[in-house]
Amino acid sequence: MENFHLVREDDKYKLKRENAERASKVINSNKVDAIREARDFIKSKGGGSLKIHKNKGGFQEERTYPKSKDPIKSKG
């Protein structure tokens, strides 16, 4: 399962594979729509983990798509 990070840089959201320098996808939208587009992109690649970062730095949350690939079987 691949890990991706959604970060805000230069007034855009960038979806990057873990340890990659270049973005897999650049999203010119608000955060809610950026998360939705990131989710769809990850699902189209067979699934993975999305680590969402706060706009001013730091980690916000992690989501797994599709949910069935989540290694931790929790409700949250």
Side-chain angles (χ1 to χ4, degrees), residues 59-71:
F59 179 72
Q60 180 177 334
E61 69 178 287
E62 182 175 1
R63 299 179 184 180
T64 303
Y65 301 107
K67 185 72 173 159
S68 62
K69 290 204 178 240
D70 192 347

Side-chain angles (χ1 to χ4, degrees), residues 1-64:
M1 179 167 53
E2 292 201 66
N3 294 315
F4 291 87
H5 294 260
L6 184 65
V7 295
R8 180 127 175 119
E9 293 177 358
D10 305 322
D11 294 327
K12 299 174 186 132
Y13 286 96
K14 295 183 180 180
L15 181 64
K16 296 181 178 182
R17 277 189 171 87
E18 195 158 273
N19 299 320
E21 290 184 30
R22 296 182 57 187
S24 298
K25 185 170 183 74
V26 176
I27 305 165
N28 293 311
S29 192
N30 61 49
K31 192 169 195 174
V32 172
D33 290 338
I35 292 169
R36 188 176 300 122
E37 284 190 48
R39 176 199 65 201
D40 293 344
F41 179 84
I42 292 169
K43 283 182 173 181
S44 75
K45 298 297 180 192
S49 172
L50 174 61
K51 296 176 181 180
I52 303 166
H53 294 259
K54 295 178 183 178
N55 288 347
K56 298 198 184 231
F59 179 72
Q60 180 177 334
E61 69 178 287
E62 182 175 1
R63 299 179 184 180
T64 303

